[in-house]
Amino acid sequence: MATLVCFHAHPDDEAIATGGTMAKAAAAGHRVVVVLATRGEEGEQIPGVVPDGEDLGAWRERETRDSAAVLGCHRVVFLGYRDSGMAGVSTNDAPESFWQADVNEAARRLAGILATEGADVLTIYDSHGGYGHPDHVAVHRVGTRAAELAGTPRLYWATMNRDRVREMVEAAERAGTPLNAERTERVDSEDFGLPDADITHAVDVTGVLDLKRAAMAAHASQIGADSFFLSLPEGDFAAAFGTEWFVRPDRPRNGPQAPDLFA
């Protein structure tokens, strides 16, 4: 059996981007560790979930542990940096933010975890962090360096299949389905995910979609029952989230997509 470490920027990222892969790995007997750079202190809250006066970071940390338990993760670790917020806001400049972290120092923190765990596989994000969030870009930089320091054998970039998502958006528009304008605009960006030809691994997670959906729902302060994610009918949810996409940077591109991160 192997050890999988998934490195993410904020609480809920782990459930959305790699929740199915983690659940499948845990069910197969692999050790699964999730590492969060921040506690998501700058997240936009769903009204009425977090009690007045409650620290949002502490609340989201608990949500993450609940989500990880649903997925079967064996360990949750927070690196101790602060959420930098979305691109271009003042919190990007906070000295304790992950965006301002020294890459080598942060990488040493993560490399220590990789070494202790004897990690066989590390997942991070693609070079633009999926959609350009500063903390996601920092995950790519820090995770790449940490894998070098720890000698982790297999490194993967978790990403989104830009071509498939655009096809789904176009189909929804033809059907007259109401869409979130901000999300649609993001999909049109060349900094959103990667094209199908660049993706080396496609992990089918339809068999654990109930766990992935429950893990997302555990992040109730950020993902409400009426959110885009959880309001999707079962078939649409499977179409949107039933495959998790990865790039192994040392593999040739534009070939058959492998179904397993451990093979």
Side-chain angles (χ1 to χ4, degrees):
M1 293 294 102
T3 297
L4 166 67
V5 177
C6 293
F7 182 36
H8 289 281
H10 317 101
D12 79 26
D13 291 333
E14 85 292 340
I16 296 168
T18 62
T21 298
M22 292 191 290
K24 282 187 71 172
H30 299 297
R31 180 169 173 80
V32 179
V33 177
V34 60
V35 180
L36 286 299
T38 80
R39 300 194 302 164
E41 297 91 343
E42 296 301 320
E44 296 182 3
Q45 299 181 49
I46 302 296
V49 175
V50 182
D52 291 343
E54 181 79 27
D55 178 73
L56 180 60
W59 187 273
R60 295 191 71 183
E61 180 175 339
R62 289 192 293 272
E63 290 180 334
T64 303
R65 296 189 187 281
D66 291 342
S67 170
V70 168
L71 298 172
C73 296
H74 299 85
R75 185 184 178 196
V76 178
V77 185
F78 287 83
L79 283 192
Y81 294 97
R82 184 173 177 82
D83 186 351
S84 306
M86 299 297 287
V89 301
S90 61
T91 48
N92 294 176
D93 300 323
E96 68 276 16
S97 71
F98 189 46
W99 181 239
Q100 293 298 325
D102 179 84
V103 170
N104 284 313
E105 190 243 339
R108 285 193 292 271
R109 293 190 194 185
L110 178 58
I113 298 166
L114 297 174
T116 298
E117 291 289 346
D120 300 285
V121 178
L122 171 65
T123 73
I124 57 174
Y125 305 129
D126 60 43
S127 60
H128 50 264
Y131 64 98
H133 191 295
D135 287 336
H136 288 233
V137 175
V139 161
H140 176 84
R141 296 173 181 172
V142 169
T144 300
R145 179 61 179 143
E148 294 172 352
L149 293 174
T152 303
R154 296 177 186 172
L155 175 70
Y156 292 93
W157 302 345
T159 190
M160 291 165 284
N161 190 317
R162 181 191 302 163
D163 297 334
R164 300 289 180 89
V165 174
R166 286 178 177 174
E167 288 171 4
M168 286 189 289
V169 168
E170 289 167 3
E173 289 174 339
R174 288 194 299 271
T177 304
L179 297 172
N180 181 294
E182 181 181 349
R183 291 187 184 279
T184 303
E185 182 178 350
R186 183 183 293 172
V187 168
D188 287 335
S189 168
E190 292 304 305
D191 287 334
F192 179 87
L194 290 170
D196 187 74
D198 283 351
I199 295 174
T200 62
H201 288 66
V203 179
D204 180 354
V205 301
T206 52
V208 293
L209 268 184
D210 56 335
L211 298 178
K212 178 167 179 166
R213 194 164 192 158
M216 292 164 67
H219 293 281
S221 71
Q222 307 296 305
I223 304 176
D226 59 350
S227 68
F228 162 78
F229 299 104
L230 298 183
S231 62
L232 287 173
E234 187 173 323
D236 292 340
F237 188 85
F241 298 106
T243 303
E244 293 177 353
W245 309 94
F246 299 88
V247 175
R248 186 165 174 179
D250 59 351
R251 286 279 181 90
R253 312 290 174 85
N254 205 18
Q257 291 166 342
D260 186 358
L261 302 189
F262 299 96

